[in-house]
Amino acid sequence: MPKIEPRTLKGFRDFLPEQQITRQKFMGIIRASYETFGFEPLETPALEYAEILTGKYGDEGDKLMYRFKDNGDRDVALRYDLTIPLARVAAQYENDLRKPWKRYQISPVWRAENSQKGRYREFYQCDADIVGSTSPLADAEILALSAGTLVRLGIPASNFVVRVNSREIITAFYETLGFTAEQQVSAMRAVDKIDKIGPEGVTEELVRFGFLADDVMAIINFASIRIAKLDDVPGAIATFPEVAGALGKLSDIIRSALLLAPTTSFIIDFSIARGLDYYTGIIFETNLLKAPQFGAICAGGRYDNLIGTFSNRPIPAVGASIGLDRLLAALEELGITKAEKTTAQALIVNFDESLAPEYLKMASELRNAGVNTILYFDTADLKKQLSYASDKGIKFALMYGTNEAKEGIVVIKDLEKGTQEKVKIDEVVKTLCQPRN
């Protein structure tokens, strides 16, 4: 049999333990944060009928979808995000779900786009959505949940900013320019790229779409508005009176969000457009101040019409998504994440095969007490076993040989501090479970 070269597809990755331990730790923190707000878990299939997914993300999104015919000649696609599957579930099980329904999902999605730093073809999204409520308090809670989750992950509120806008604000302004619905979508998609290609690039794209020079200038000027303090909202309303109602609603949502997350920096940013077609109300993106090159690490908004495409009536919804892979890539570059090589806390050194029953008993007792424990399988020399533990990042080595057995003690070596202590064998579990500095 010819040798097969071991390799991964471009844009796809293996996660070795040092990476996966951190990833699982972050997912656990995110899960706990979402559940603190009363969100419930949901899992959906990786594959959906293509008709479920297509036509919801715009032409560009449809082109990036992994779509194919399965063995039953069915037209299927890998999920592009977690929002459309949620909309399908909300419609399919409408009578079984008590509303408002607060759900979260932490799962991989797939997009056939050009891979680059922090952007891959397979990546994890951590979504939280509220289905069945039009209340602005639901919008405020989503904003606060997103900010609060980042803080739980160890990112100080001073290190990120939540940039907020509303599709209602954008629509109100574009309507004063006389734009058709199709023109509004084109303008929003162009403005959505402003962080990547700058105002000049957006201008070129708008001209390419056929917008007149005066309209292009108006769009760019409007997208340049930033409101860092709610006290400055009246000034913006005076400049753009046509958006007064929508901007007032957005201000109230931010005020409520600040009561839930008072240390968060919310900025009203008229350049936030969110290119996906299904947004209808509040939209937002969260950026790390010291790693802006990674773009939005968390984003979302309100989509009151999406679920209605799968049901007989509209069902309102609002949600947020944390991009786990992009977030971890940014935090790694900033030196915020700490690599962990193992989940084990203790290693039982194997001195003597005849002591195997006692080693196994010790391992069992430690594991049952919640101490993650490795038993070294072979009776290798002590230096080799301690080197293994040290390289893995295991904190404690438990040494129990013939002499220790005679004394009824275990030597516990702290590999981080280089200290050791003798403990009675029946007190090993208690010793390792007690808090330590």
Side-chain angles (χ1 to χ4, degrees):
M1 176 182 289
K3 177 184 175 182
I4 300 174
E5 180 186 356
R7 53 180 178 158
T8 54
L9 288 166
K10 183 180 179 182
F12 294 79
R13 298 165 295 162
D14 295 313
F15 296 106
L16 299 182
E18 189 169 333
Q19 299 167 297
Q20 189 63 5
I21 289 170
T22 301
R23 290 171 62 82
Q24 289 187 343
K25 180 179 178 180
F26 268 56
M27 283 189 271
I29 294 171
I30 293 170
R31 184 177 296 110
S33 179
Y34 288 174
E35 291 182 355
T36 297
F37 277 70
F39 286 77
E40 302 162 349
L42 172 72
E43 190 61 48
T44 59
L47 275 180
E48 297 272 3
Y49 284 104
E51 65 180 13
I52 296 290
L53 303 179
T54 54
K56 317 296 189 308
Y57 309 107
D59 293 340
E60 187 172 338
D62 286 351
K63 292 176 183 177
L64 297 178
M65 206 173 291
Y66 279 101
R67 183 176 179 178
F68 54 93
K69 291 290 183 72
D70 69 4
N71 291 342
D73 202 37
R74 290 173 288 262
D75 189 10
V76 298
L78 285 169
R79 60 186 176 220
Y80 181 90
D81 71 358
L82 301 178
T83 306
I84 301 300
L86 166 66
R88 191 260 305 156
V89 167
Q92 187 172 346
Y93 303 95
E94 181 178 356
N95 296 329
D96 300 321
L97 299 170
R98 184 71 179 269
K99 299 180 185 65
W101 176 40
K102 303 171 76 172
R103 92 80 170 91
Y104 73 86
Q105 182 171 353
I106 301 175
S107 299
V109 298
W110 295 268
R111 298 180 188 178
E113 57 186 352
N114 291 327
S115 57
Q116 52 186 287
K117 195 169 187 178
R119 189 182 293 268
Y120 307 96
R121 292 176 176 174
E122 180 184 55
F123 55 96
Y124 269 74
Q125 288 187 334
C126 310
D127 282 21
D129 295 77
I130 301 172
V131 175
S133 175
T134 59
S135 171
L137 294 181
D139 300 300
E141 182 158 295
I142 285 294
L143 288 176
L145 172 67
S146 303
T149 301
L150 294 179
V151 172
R152 280 194 174 209
L153 290 169
I155 308 169
S158 59
N159 285 10
F160 63 87
V161 61
V162 184
R163 302 156 63 204
V164 192
N165 198 11
S166 169
R167 280 289 180 89
E168 293 176 346
I169 291 175
I170 298 172
T171 299
F173 177 71
Y174 286 171
E175 286 179 348
T176 66
L177 301 178
F179 290 174
T180 64
E182 185 178 347
Q183 287 176 314
Q184 290 184 34
V185 170
S186 297
M188 279 188 283
R189 286 182 182 164
V191 172
D192 187 51
K193 302 175 184 177
I194 198 165
D195 288 342
K196 299 177 183 177
I197 62 178
E200 298 80 7
V202 173
T203 297
E204 293 176 5
E205 190 150 323
L206 290 169
V207 170
R208 192 161 56 249
F209 286 155
F211 287 93
L212 300 177
D214 288 346
D215 289 337
V216 171
M217 184 177 296
I219 293 170
I220 296 298
N221 288 339
F222 181 75
S224 68
I225 300 298
R226 309 285 186 276
I227 306 172
K229 299 178 181 178
L230 291 177
D231 291 342
D232 296 333
V233 167
I237 290 176
T239 305
F240 301 100
E242 60 273 18
V243 305
L247 183 52
K249 287 171 58 178
L250 181 59
S251 301
D252 290 341
I253 289 170
I254 293 174
R255 285 191 181 90
S256 296
L258 282 168
L259 293 174
L260 292 168
T263 62
T264 304
S265 175
F266 293 106
I267 294 179
I268 297 175
D269 186 339
F270 286 179
S271 72
I272 299 299
R274 304 296 297 154
L276 299 177
D277 289 351
Y278 51 67
Y279 288 116
T280 59
I282 184 176
I283 46 179
F284 69 93
E285 295 183 356
T286 304
N287 302 83
L288 294 175
L289 295 175
K290 296 181 180 179
Q293 68 274 23
F294 285 92
I297 56 169
C298 177
R302 176 165 284 280
Y303 50 98
D304 285 346
N305 299 327
L306 177 61
I307 300 175
T309 62
F310 300 110
S311 64
N312 295 324
R313 62 184 184 86
I315 299 175
V318 61
S321 178
I322 294 175
L324 181 67
D325 300 83
R326 188 180 299 186
L327 173 61
L328 285 172
L331 296 183
E332 182 179 352
E333 184 159 308
L334 293 174
I336 293 177
T337 56
K338 181 182 178 181
E340 298 180 45
K341 298 179 180 179
T342 184
T343 59
Q345 300 160 279
L347 172 80
I348 298 174
V349 176
N350 190 339
F351 283 109
D352 191 332
E353 289 182 359
S354 67
L355 295 173
E358 294 179 66
Y359 294 149
L360 293 171
K361 182 175 181 291
M362 190 186 305
S364 178
E365 290 175 349
L366 286 166
R367 289 165 180 166
N368 289 337
V371 180
N372 298 345
T373 304
I374 289 177
L375 168 60
Y376 204 88
F377 297 122
D378 303 310
T379 55
D381 66 73
L382 177 60
K383 184 178 180 180
K384 181 177 181 180
Q385 295 188 54
L386 293 181
S387 176
Y388 171 84
S390 182
D391 289 345
K392 295 285 287 182
I394 298 172
K395 183 172 175 59
F396 299 107
L398 309 184
M399 295 179 286
Y400 182 76
T402 304
N403 292 334
E404 286 79 15
K406 290 177 181 178
E407 294 182 49
I409 57 114
V410 174
V411 176
I412 300 179
K413 186 176 182 64
D414 188 321
L415 298 174
E416 291 181 359
K417 297 179 179 179
T419 60
Q420 63 184 44
E421 61 179 317
K422 294 181 179 180
V423 176
K424 291 181 180 179
I425 193 168
D426 58 356
E427 293 184 359
V428 170
V429 172
K430 178 182 176 182
T431 301
L432 289 187
C433 287
Q434 68 186 14
R436 292 169 176 261
N437 295 329

